[in-house]
Amino acid sequence: MIQKTGTGKYEHLLNRCKDLEPVPTAVVHPCEVTALAGALEAAELGLILPFLVGPIEKIEKAARDGQLELGKTPIIDTQHSHESATKAVELVREGRAEILMKGSLHTDELMAAIVSRDRGLRTSRRISHVFVMDVPTYHKVLLITDGAINIAPNLEDKVDICQNAIGLAISLGLKRPKVAILAAVETVTSKMQATLDAAALCKMAERGQIKGAILDGPLAFDNAISKEAAITKGIISEVAGDPDILLAPDLESGNILAKQLSFLANADSAGLVLGARVPVILTSRADSVRARIASCAVAVLVAHARRTMQVEPA
């Protein structure tokens, strides 16, 4: 079972999944013990109905090595990881799976199959990644985007990145999430593109080009997270001190921020890729069992929200 060593924020996500049907999930190339164990445990908890897509001999060996019971879990045999990614995407296109879950293959390999123009899972929206963080020193779940996919997003990219994260926050039960658009300073200056983008995003939200959230920025990290810091600097904001989403100016800053919280503040970090036809669970060999299960829970909530149209399809 999930290790209840955190602050209880992830457990709240699991509780929201209790009355939901498990979601058919294509688990891509689960040929290592950690990857296979995460999928099987999520199935045991009633979160997903896994299809294991990969070389059957390697999957069975991973099960033996980890003393895991495959039971009647369906396995779709492939020759290699590239074919596993392609076949898993096909399961989604055929309507047999509503979630993709990364196993023991490189992220680039999985994403190549997802973004394939002819046989992939592209939508009109740009694909982006969201860290779902349980930070012990923060009072609620914190979403950080994008620290994994979009290296140097321009303004139009940030619109999609922001809208993807808003849709995720709504799927998690928030009515009107608060978005802090980060920069190094909280004033708009032509010398720093991140501040210009932040100001434009806020105006776009006012005009309905970004929907479903309260945006403010540019905000430096201190006055985004701390109401006291914002007051000291004379910032009047609904978002300061209480954001649900932190929108980073680029991949490097978003990635460093998320990992800094993980390794210096003992935060747990789940992760999801959004903007494709279905949510994509990205797990790493370094992820804790708790974070792996939390990633599955978040994906399940997104999948059910899309079924009931609580969030707009991408």
Side-chain angles (χ1 to χ4, degrees), residues 234-283:
I235 298 170
I236 300 171
S237 169
E238 290 184 74
V239 174
D242 191 40
D244 301 289
I245 299 166
L246 299 179
L247 181 65
D250 54 35
L251 181 146
E252 288 178 330
S253 57
N255 190 277
I256 290 169
L257 173 56
K259 290 181 178 177
Q260 176 180 323
L261 290 173
S262 293
F263 287 92
L264 289 179
N266 294 321
D268 280 320
S269 171
L272 209 62
V273 169
L274 302 164
R277 291 192 193 180
V278 297
V280 182
I281 301 166
L282 282 190
T283 55

Side-chain angles (χ1 to χ4, degrees), residues 21 129 144 239 288 299:
E21 294 180 357
H129 179 273
I144 298 176
V239 174
S288 67

Side-chain angles (χ1 to χ4, degrees), residues 90-195:
E90 284 179 12
L91 290 177
V92 173
R93 292 178 63 89
E94 292 167 1
R96 297 171 62 190
E98 295 177 58
I99 296 172
L100 285 177
M101 183 175 184
K102 175 179 173 284
S104 51
L105 76 169
H106 290 295
T107 298
D108 288 350
E109 199 168 8
L110 176 58
M111 293 307 302
I114 291 170
V115 302
S116 169
R117 292 193 178 277
D118 298 326
R119 303 178 65 186
L121 302 174
R122 284 174 173 264
T123 68
S124 61
R125 195 175 292 166
R126 190 170 186 84
I127 289 174
S128 60
H129 179 273
V130 181
F131 285 107
V132 183
M133 310 287 299
D134 180 351
V135 186
T137 54
Y138 195 63
H139 57 283
K140 55 184 173 179
V141 168
L142 188 63
L143 309 185
I144 298 176
T145 191
D146 174 351
I149 291 181
N150 294 281
I151 297 172
N154 60 28
L155 177 61
E156 288 74 20
D157 297 336
K158 289 179 181 179
V159 171
D160 283 349
I161 291 168
C162 187
Q163 198 68 67
N164 286 342
I166 292 167
L168 173 56
I170 292 171
S171 299
L172 300 183
L174 298 174
K175 299 297 183 185
R176 195 165 176 79
K178 299 176 182 179
V179 183
I181 306 166
L182 297 180
V185 296
E186 62 278 353
T187 52
V188 179
T189 169
S190 62
K191 296 178 181 179
M192 301 181 72
Q193 185 62 43
T195 69

